[in-house]
Amino acid sequence: MTAQVIDGKAFAGRVREKVAAQVASLKAEHNITPGLAVVLVGEDPASQVYVRSKGKQTVEAGMNSYEYKLEADTSESDLLAMIDKLNADDNVHGILVQLPLPKHLNEDLVINRIAPSKDVDGFHISNVGLLGTGQKSMVPCTPLGCLLMLRDHHGSLSGMDAVVIGRSNIVGKPMAQLLLNDSCTVTIAHSRTKNLADVVRRADIVVAAVGRPEMVPGDWIKEGATVIDVGINRIETDEGKTKLVGDVDYDSCAAVAGAITPVPGGVGPMTIACLLANTVTACCRIHGLAEDNEFTA
Ligand code: NDP
């Protein structure tokens, strides 16, 4: 079997088009322009690239983008004061603090200072609790993107066996919760899991969010399973160049899977598209307007 490639890049393009249409109608019908504020502390090169890309796509979708670049030695109280200001700003509907933060800043404290209604990353403890109890919440963008691709490919996920490899708060845990809310039978695997190969072999859906290049080989994959590769790893090639690879060994997995996301071009593009969708969702909720549920969990 050769797997169908799930084209996250094309899917993300469709999400962005719909988001842009929603933004246009919010402007035309309600004179509201959704606004996303992104706060970057320090000069981590990867974070700078992500922040630039988020700002660009926000503007392309017709929304207002507010970028705040703070010095690496910014104090916690100054950062919290900035978040308070953004919480109170009616032009801002989504707030994202780019992670990781420099070591002297307490990430939990900072994230939990964001108003839950504007927490477009879905990391605030209130949103985590709402998701965990199956209530309406802001859903973390990367797992939301994975879920949308899975639903698009399968329709209903009900009754499927899903294995999520990785238990981080930003990917693994919310991913498992979303799959459970869609009535999958979910196993969460991590670095202490015994017989990982056998655990993965049971799965109809495998989501790999580990951060280890090409860790999952094809002989762990059940024939016909759907493989969602969240990993983004930069490795050196034999020619001394670098390239991006995922957490699964693409060629051997694609030979047995029913469907698979490539890296790059799979989960990655969906993450920012979902951030834009979350910002529109937050804007609609804040203003008490009907929201388009197509891009929510
Ligand atoms: P973390 O490092 O926070 O979590 C990694 C998880 O993998 C941990 O739960 C860890 O287990 C588990 N793990 C590590 N080694 C093994 C192993 N040998 N066997 C089984 N499980 C293992 O990473 P993130 O969740 O933040 O990110 C995961 C990957 O996804 C990274 O490559 C990251 O770059 C990528 N990513 C991609 C995004 C996108 O937009 N496409 C967005 C966010 C992340 P334990 O808890 O026991 O330590």
Side-chain angles (χ1 to χ4, degrees), residues 142 165-168 170-172 189-192 196 209-212 215 230-233 247 267-268 271:
T142 299
I165 319 175
R167 56 174 164 178
S168 71
I170 64 168
V171 189
H190 45 77
S191 66
R192 310 291 173 88
L196 183 58
V210 187
R212 288 179 173 247
M215 189 192 95
V230 181
I232 302 177
N233 310 288
D247 288 343
V267 175
T271 297

Side-chain angles (χ1 to χ4, degrees), residues 273-288:
C274 287
L275 173 68
L276 305 181
N278 275 354
T279 305
V280 171
T281 300
C283 178
C284 291
R285 288 180 187 169
I286 287 167
H287 288 280

Side-chain angles (χ1 to χ4, degrees), residues 156-161 177-186:
S156 169
L157 307 181
S158 181
M160 296 179 84
D161 281 318
Q177 193 63 60
L178 287 169
L179 292 165
L180 185 62
N181 291 354
D182 265 29
S183 299
C184 291
T185 303
V186 183

Side-chain angles (χ1 to χ4, degrees), residues 101-151:
L101 287 172
K103 291 278 176 284
H104 69 283
L105 299 169
N106 179 335
E107 273 185 11
D108 290 338
L109 191 73
V110 170
I111 296 302
N112 289 326
R113 189 70 161 238
I114 299 171
S117 59
K118 297 188 177 185
D119 168 39
V120 282
D121 250 345
F123 297 157
H124 188 289
I125 193 72
S126 297
N127 282 314
V128 175
L130 289 167
L131 180 64
T133 49
Q135 300 179 68
K136 199 152 116 173
S137 64
M138 295 308 302
V139 178
C141 304
T142 299
L144 177 58
C146 297
L147 181 77
L148 294 178
M149 288 191 287
L150 283 166
R151 282 183 181 164

